[in-house]
Amino acid sequence: MIRVEDLHLHFGGIRAVDGASVNIAKGSITGLIGPNGAGKSTLFNVIAGLYRPTSGKVWLDGEDVTGLSPHALFHKGLLRTFQIAHEFASLTVRENLMMVPAEQPGEVLWDAWFKPGRVRAREAEVRARADEVIDFLEIPHVADELAGNLSGGQKKLLELGRTMMVDAKIVFLDEVGAGVNRTLLNTIGDAILRLNRERGYTFCMVEHDMDFIGRLCDPVIVMAEGKVLTVGHPAEVMKNEAVIEAYLGRGLKNRKASAMGPA
Amino acid sequence: MDVLNALVLFLNFVMIPATAYGAQLALGALGVTLIYAVLRFSNFAHGDMMAFGTMLVVLVTWGLQSLGVSLGPLPTALLALPIGILGTIVLALVTDASVYRFYRSKRSEPVIFVIASVGVMFVYNALTRFVIGTDDQRFEDGARFVVKVGDFRKWSGLDEGLAIRTSQLITVVVMILTVAFVFWFLQKTRTGKAMRAYSDNEDLALLSGISPERVVRITWILAAALAVIAGTLYGLDKSFRPFTYFQLLLPIFAAAIVGGIGHPLGAVAGGFVVAYSEVMVTYAYKGVLTYLLPEAWRPEGLVQMLGTDYKFAVSFIILVVVLLIRPTGIFRGRTI
Ligand SMILES: Nc1ncnc2c1ncn2[C@@H]1O[C@H](COP(=O)(O)OP(=O)(O)OP(=O)(O)O)[C@@H](O)[C@H]1O
Ligand SMILES: [Mg+2]
């Protein structure tokens, strides 16, 4: 589905992504882990078109999409969430969600004035979908609140909700679970599984919570210092010496290994 | 009686002209603020965009007048206004496609856009002067007054007269309609919401269904229309001279910044704050005080805080003070 080939992105002297090659299979929930500053978010940013890579290629379904604009990638069904939640602060939660679907006739002045019926019909459709998402995320009480006033965790939910507003092919989740309470985290996990099974979304997710990763993801990609260290089943990856060295730290080895449980 | 006379004097020479001027600044500042909110730069070419659009209106007005077309008591310029707006929209869109789009695709810093807009300003300026010259042009026609000094005196029995010019009344009416439309557009329509979304968070807007080029286009269309309306109203009220419009840039930016740049309501409020300050500070209060004070205290001088030649200093001082004390303006800026 997504193939990343020898990707580099350098910020001046910092090699945020330094020759990463990644494959994400269609229909999978691929985990992406690694220490802070490993380049995970930067890799997402390059894939989603926010940054142009210094060198390397990104393929989506066999098509070279390197350097395409985020907007063009969105139209190809590639969605992403932000590690630091982004929102349209001066719009309500519902309006935030309703902003996502593209090509709404109300956006074209001509249609807005001369085909009000069509505009209204489409708007009702989008609104109904937004309400579904709001119910799904169990946030109906803040539906008409300005998104800027939400709590950090609620903003994370809104990030996830946005990806449910259209039929995506692949969704990149950058720490959607961070700062969200346990119960909600489970709900999010269930939502991801359901979207994966029922709607056929492919996911690639960065997460620091190993239980969460272990429950959802297979395979897991481990990054460190801009490079891919290893790829594999979560339980195997946790046993890998290089991963333990780079990520878990030696002292944590035993505790983490047992927390993962038997594969 | 003296109090009433003083009041009428004040209304006639301060409140009425300042309200009309404020409405013109408000419309100008609204255009500047929309560009700032969506495209994230201060458009220095806005004054000259106003001049270009007004020039088109003047030319079309002359054409209509020579054909004998008129609106009766209303100025013919109102009929020419839509054509001026269309022409200026074309100019703005061509400029965007040939200049700003290039820097957008390179994701350039705002300061680059500002410098580019200074270049655009010189081009617009030259274009306008090339076509119509640098002189004062009058294009007001129709009935000059809604309320005449003589009629008012007769009606009220006061010594002082009050006049309301047609252009002043039209300015205020058109400004209210235009601002109401812009606010409705931003709050209620899908496109307006897309503009606000884009202004709130560009990165997120790029990663959703909002078409950035479409949002940018609509913003230029609105800004160009606002510029021509503001310019034409100012021209009807005073007169049309290209250089004056360049000078208007200062009070317009002062208005946008006082209100909180990027904030449409702020731009409107700021327009009036700047206009009232400017007119009040440069008005000679001798007449008003002569009515109000006992004979012994009557002033001999003009009681004018600042000569009208220095009126731009008022905008400048407002600008500096606001930037020092409350850089976000009356309303917290940078959102629409
Ligand atoms: N815009 C930028 N300009 C300069 N350096 C950057 C920029 N963005 C990221 N970096 C650097 O690139 C490196 C990788 O950052 P990145 O955000 O991708 O890490 P990460 O793996 O997502 O970490 P975390 O787990 O903390 O989110 C870091 O050293 C960071 O300082
Ligand atoms: Mg990150």
Side-chain angles (χ1 to χ4, degrees):
Chain A
M1 173 125 239
I2 286 274
R3 197 150 60 82
V4 172
E5 223 174 67
D6 194 26
L7 204 71
H8 289 259
L9 183 76
H10 303 171
F11 295 110
I14 301 172
R15 300 170 167 229
V17 179
D18 191 17
S21 296
V22 170
N23 265 308
I24 298 167
K26 198 181 178 77
S28 72
I29 304 181
T30 303
L32 179 58
I33 62 172
N36 294 125
K40 306 180 296 290
S41 297
T42 310
L43 180 64
F44 273 20
N45 284 334
V46 176
I47 294 175
L50 229 46
Y51 297 139
R52 218 173 262 271
T54 313
S55 69
K57 291 235 168 286
V58 181
W59 308 77
L60 171 64
D61 281 337
E63 183 191 349
D64 184 355
V65 294
T66 323
L68 280 192
S69 73
H71 189 66
L73 288 164
F74 170 88
H75 278 274
K76 292 186 186 295
L78 185 151
L79 271 66
R80 64 87 51 97
T81 70
F82 288 93
Q83 177 171 359
I84 297 162
H86 282 36
E87 74 283 333
F88 300 130
S90 63
L91 302 183
T92 67
V93 169
R94 185 181 284 112
E95 285 172 334
N96 263 264
L97 292 172
M98 289 178 67
M99 223 64 243
V100 179
E103 301 302 330
Q104 294 184 38
E107 236 171 76
V108 183
L109 284 186
W110 182 264
D111 289 355
W113 274 314
F114 299 103
K115 297 177 190 163
R118 234 188 83 203
V119 172
R120 231 174 291 132
R122 177 80 174 110
E123 192 161 304
E125 227 176 274
V126 175
R127 173 180 287 267
R129 186 151 188 174
D131 285 335
E132 255 172 60
V133 172
I134 287 167
D135 281 341
F136 185 92
L137 298 173
E138 298 170 8
I139 49 171
H141 50 292
V142 292
D144 294 308
E145 186 71 43
L146 292 185
N149 299 342
L150 294 186
S151 75
Q154 289 170 328
K155 285 181 186 174
K156 287 282 183 174
L157 287 181
L158 181 57
E159 284 274 337
L160 184 68
R162 229 188 324 270
T163 66
M164 297 158 68
M165 284 301 295
V166 287
D167 296 315
K169 276 197 222 160
I170 179 157
V171 179
F172 289 84
L173 303 175
D174 199 346
E175 301 193 23
V176 270
V180 171
N181 74 51
R182 270 282 147 199
T183 337
L184 212 53
L185 194 62
N186 286 329
T187 317
I188 291 179
D190 294 341
I192 291 171
L193 284 173
R194 249 181 68 192
L195 289 170
N196 177 250
R197 293 200 189 117
E198 290 169 17
R199 293 212 204 147
Y201 280 27
T202 303
F203 283 98
C204 177
M205 51 195 289
V206 172
E207 206 64 56
H208 286 295
D209 183 325
M210 282 303 142
D211 295 342
F212 195 56
I213 288 276
R215 182 177 148 221
L216 296 174
C217 303
D218 187 25
V220 172
I221 301 168
V222 185
M223 273 185 86
E225 293 171 8
K227 295 187 178 64
V228 173
L229 223 52
T230 177
V231 183
H233 189 276
E236 281 163 32
V237 159
M238 288 301 108
K239 290 188 203 122
N240 185 311
E241 279 297 323
V243 175
I244 294 165
E245 178 91 24
Y247 191 20
L248 302 173
R250 293 200 170 275
L252 287 173
K253 179 178 171 182
N254 296 328
R255 200 158 62 83
K256 275 288 173 187
S258 64
M260 290 300 307
Chain B
M1 233 25 176
D2 278 354
V3 176
L4 280 182
N5 271 317
L7 186 69
V8 167
L9 200 60
F10 189 69
L11 279 177
N12 192 36
F13 288 102
V14 178
M15 292 314 276
I16 293 173
T19 303
Y21 181 44
Q24 292 144 13
L25 289 185
L27 289 173
L30 194 53
V32 164
T33 238
L34 284 179
I35 295 289
Y36 187 88
V38 175
L39 291 134
R40 282 154 231 285
F41 73 93
S42 306
N43 181 19
F44 275 70
H46 200 78
D48 281 292
M49 185 151 80
M50 278 166 65
F52 179 87
T54 311
M55 172 195 75
L56 290 184
V57 172
V58 171
L59 294 177
V60 175
T61 303
W62 287 345
L64 290 172
Q65 283 168 343
S66 71
L67 291 174
V69 181
S70 92
L71 276 177
L74 298 176
T76 316
L78 286 186
L79 216 52
L81 189 57
I83 303 173
I85 290 176
L86 275 183
T88 311
I89 287 173
V90 171
L91 178 77
L93 292 180
V94 167
T95 310
D96 184 68
S98 56
V99 181
Y100 301 120
R101 183 184 291 163
F102 171 74
Y103 295 105
R104 256 200 316 282
S105 71
K106 284 180 44 170
R107 296 184 134 251
S108 299
E109 296 290 318
V111 65
I112 308 275
F113 282 89
V114 172
I115 300 296
S117 84
V118 172
V120 169
M121 173 185 89
F122 285 124
V123 174
Y124 285 1
N125 190 287
L127 208 60
T128 307
R129 285 194 293 188
F130 180 74
V131 176
I132 205 166
T134 54
D135 295 337
D136 250 335
Q137 312 288 350
R138 299 204 136 265
F139 61 109
E140 192 194 3
D141 56 5
R144 240 178 101 62
F145 289 99
V146 186
V147 176
K148 287 198 183 113
V149 174
D151 296 347
F152 181 85
R153 276 210 197 101
K154 227 177 284 160
W155 172 80
S156 65
L158 292 172
D159 293 338
E160 292 297 334
L162 186 84
I164 300 178
R165 275 187 284 128
T166 316
S167 62
Q168 290 168 330
L169 185 67
I170 287 176
T171 294
V172 173
V173 171
V174 170
M175 176 251 163
I176 290 172
L177 292 178
T178 310
V179 168
F181 171 79
V182 170
F183 279 67
W184 168 80
F185 183 84
L186 289 175
Q187 292 300 326
K188 294 288 176 230
T189 66
R190 162 89 191 168
T191 320
K193 284 180 192 169
M195 277 174 65
R196 284 160 58 206
Y198 194 86
S199 156
D200 271 359
N201 193 325
E202 188 183 354
D203 283 343
L204 186 57
L206 290 175
L207 285 162
S208 56
I210 299 164
S211 158
E213 286 305 310
R214 193 177 286 157
V215 166
V216 168
R217 216 155 44 223
I218 304 273
T219 308
W220 279 116
I221 290 175
L222 280 180
L226 287 167
V228 184
I229 295 172
T232 302
L233 294 175
Y234 185 88
L236 283 175
D237 194 16
K238 312 265 167 43
S239 69
F240 174 70
R241 197 160 73 98
F243 185 63
T244 317
Y245 282 64
F246 161 73
Q247 287 181 324
L248 274 179
L249 208 54
L250 183 60
I252 283 176
F253 268 98
I257 289 169
V258 169
I261 191 154
H263 198 299
L265 199 59
V268 176
F272 287 101
V273 169
V274 171
Y276 286 127
S277 317
E278 194 176 288
V279 177
M280 280 176 165
V281 169
T282 53
Y283 178 63
Y285 287 90
K286 182 176 186 192
V288 173
L289 292 178
T290 308
Y291 279 117
L292 292 180
L293 297 175
E295 197 143 357
W297 293 7
R298 285 190 184 148
E300 277 173 23
L302 284 172
V303 201
Q304 187 182 22
M305 282 176 247
L306 210 61
T308 40
D309 289 347
Y310 296 105
K311 64 179 181 187
F312 287 114
V314 178
S315 307
F316 194 72
I317 290 165
I318 291 178
L319 198 60
V320 171
V321 169
V322 168
L323 288 177
L324 281 176
I325 294 175
R326 193 181 161 90
T328 50
I330 302 173
F331 298 87
R332 281 207 24 238
R334 262 260 43 206
T335 53
I336 53 172

